[in-house]
């Protein structure tokens, strides 16, 4: 059905977004392990599907985990607080955040890179300068939202960066066909940029918190957990008769399957546009 009730949704976004997306400012957990006794993951910051193996990778406060066969396995020895995270190609990940408590180096990792699906990481740029809590990649361009300055930055070579604008956003999505077109979810509603994040205009639409722009459609999770989708670049939206179970923390879509991590550590998948959800952990 067509999306309605946008005006009241924007008001709800101001009060509820901190609940749905406040994980970006969560304090450090007191335990040394990310996997908890009930099989859940804590402090999930990002998720993405690796096209090389079709598996879901989960970025957390204590490194990156691969989910397969109802199990979460830590990838490599990295224990960094992986805040920003995106899959940029087969076995290629980009990330940012903070080093593990027992690791040397600057408190802000800048942009780091893995070409072996998270088994090892190398620093690329902005070490000690940027802490990207959002990273997105499209058409060879990396976008990063720096949590310390609020600057939306862009790089085409992953080494040199341009400050495009200042933005307070809960999530960011980039058109996979037009890397200069971006959508951001904010307390003032959805905002659109058609010049690579330099300027922004209101985009209308639902009061979304999380966003994912796949090659087929744009998927969002609203403040009340409703999955909505757009097949015309956010011009119109439709919703399914379902709701995400729990406060949403991270979202991705792969081959028409929605993957969602919640603030209480559940990782779920929906093969039917959000009507039903299945746990990916025991």
């Amino acid at each position: 059905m067509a999306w309605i009730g946008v005006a009241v949704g924007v008001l709800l976004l101001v009060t509820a977004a901190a609940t749905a997306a406040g994980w970006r400012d969560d304090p450090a957990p007191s335990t040394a392990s990310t996997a908890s006794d009930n099989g859940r993951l804590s402090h999930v910051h990002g998720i993405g599907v690796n096209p090389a193996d079709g598996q879901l990778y989960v970025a957390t406060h204590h490194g990156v985990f691969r989910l397969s066969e109802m199990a979460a396995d830590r990838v490599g020895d990295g224990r960094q607080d992986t805040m920003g995270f995106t899959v940029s190609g087969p076995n290629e990940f980009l990330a940012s955040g903070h080093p593990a408590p027992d690791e040397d180096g600057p408190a802000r990792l800048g942009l780091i890179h893995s070409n072996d699906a998270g088994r090892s990481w190398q620093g690329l740029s902005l070490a000690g300068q940027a802490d990207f809590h959002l990273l997105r990649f499209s058409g060879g361009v990396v976008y990063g939202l720096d949590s310390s300055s609020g600057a939306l930055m862009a790089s085409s070579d992953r080494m040199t960066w341009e400050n495009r604008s200042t933005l307070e956003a809960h999530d960011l999505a980039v058109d996979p066909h037009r890397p200069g077109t971006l959508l951001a979810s904010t307390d003032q509603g959805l905002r659109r940029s058609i010049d690579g994040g330099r300027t922004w205009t209101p985009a209308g639409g639902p009061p979304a918190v999380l966003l994912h722009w796949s090659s087929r459609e744009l998927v969002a999770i609203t403040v009340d957990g409703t999955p909505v989708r757009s097949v015309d670049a956010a011009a119109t939206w439709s919703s399914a008769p379902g709701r995400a179970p729990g406060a949403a923390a991270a979202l991705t879509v792969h081959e028409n399957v929605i993957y969602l991590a919640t603030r209480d550590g559940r990782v779920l998948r929906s093969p039917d546009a959000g009507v039903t959800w299945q746990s990916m952990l025991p």
Side-chain angles (χ1 to χ4, degrees):
M1 65 179 178
W3 178 263
I4 59 175
V6 173
V8 295
V10 172
L11 179 61
L12 286 174
L13 182 58
V14 176
T15 58
T19 299
W23 50 270
R24 292 189 175 91
D25 298 317
D26 282 348
S30 58
T31 58
S33 175
T34 301
S36 61
D37 293 337
N38 62 6
R40 297 181 180 183
L41 296 171
S42 64
H43 289 249
V44 174
H45 300 316
I47 56 178
V49 173
N50 181 4
D53 59 14
Q55 300 297 310
L56 184 70
Y57 287 72
V58 182
T60 78
H61 191 87
H62 291 284
V64 176
F65 288 73
R66 181 180 61 249
L67 269 62
S68 59
E69 298 180 356
M70 296 291 286
D73 300 313
R74 190 190 302 274
V75 180
D77 296 325
R79 299 295 200 275
Q80 74 275 356
D81 181 7
T82 314
M83 297 295 298
F85 176 77
T86 190
V87 176
S88 54
N91 292 328
E92 290 189 349
F93 301 164
L94 297 172
S96 188
H98 315 281
D102 58 348
E103 292 180 343
D104 296 329
R108 299 170 182 170
L109 291 177
L111 184 70
I112 61 175
H113 167 259
S114 174
N115 60 9
D116 55 10
R119 295 178 181 85
S120 62
W121 294 89
Q122 300 81 40
L124 290 180
S125 55
L126 298 180
Q129 301 177 53
D131 171 20
F132 294 122
H133 282 201
L134 289 173
L135 280 171
R136 298 293 179 260
F137 177 83
S138 178
V141 180
V142 182
Y143 292 98
L145 186 61
D146 181 25
S147 66
S148 57
S149 66
L152 178 69
M153 306 173 69
S155 175
S156 57
D157 61 6
R158 309 184 186 187
M159 300 297 293
T160 57
W161 294 80
E162 178 186 353
N163 285 1
R164 295 286 176 86
S165 59
T166 300
L167 183 69
E168 294 184 5
H170 303 294
D171 207 353
L172 188 70
V174 187
D175 189 330
H177 306 295
R178 295 171 293 179
T181 298
L182 294 81
L183 200 68
S185 59
T186 77
D187 283 349
Q188 290 73 45
L190 291 175
R191 301 185 69 80
R192 184 197 311 273
S193 174
I194 58 173
D195 57 6
R198 295 175 177 85
T199 61
W200 297 86
T201 58
V209 177
L210 298 181
L211 303 166
H212 181 86
W213 209 328
S214 71
S215 60
R216 299 177 181 178
E217 62 183 1
L218 181 62
V219 175
I221 303 294
T222 68
V223 293
D224 67 354
T226 301
V228 295
R229 57 191 291 266
S230 174
V231 295
D232 54 12
T236 61
W237 296 82
S238 62
S239 61
R243 186 168 294 182
L251 169 74
T252 194
V253 181
H254 181 70
E255 295 183 350
N256 290 330
V257 177
I258 301 175
Y259 296 92
L260 184 73
T262 64
R263 290 198 68 201
D264 62 0
R266 288 176 291 172
V267 182
L268 310 154
R269 66 188 299 274
S270 175
D272 52 16
V275 177
T276 61
W277 295 89
Q278 305 159 357
S279 176
M280 298 187 65
L281 292 173

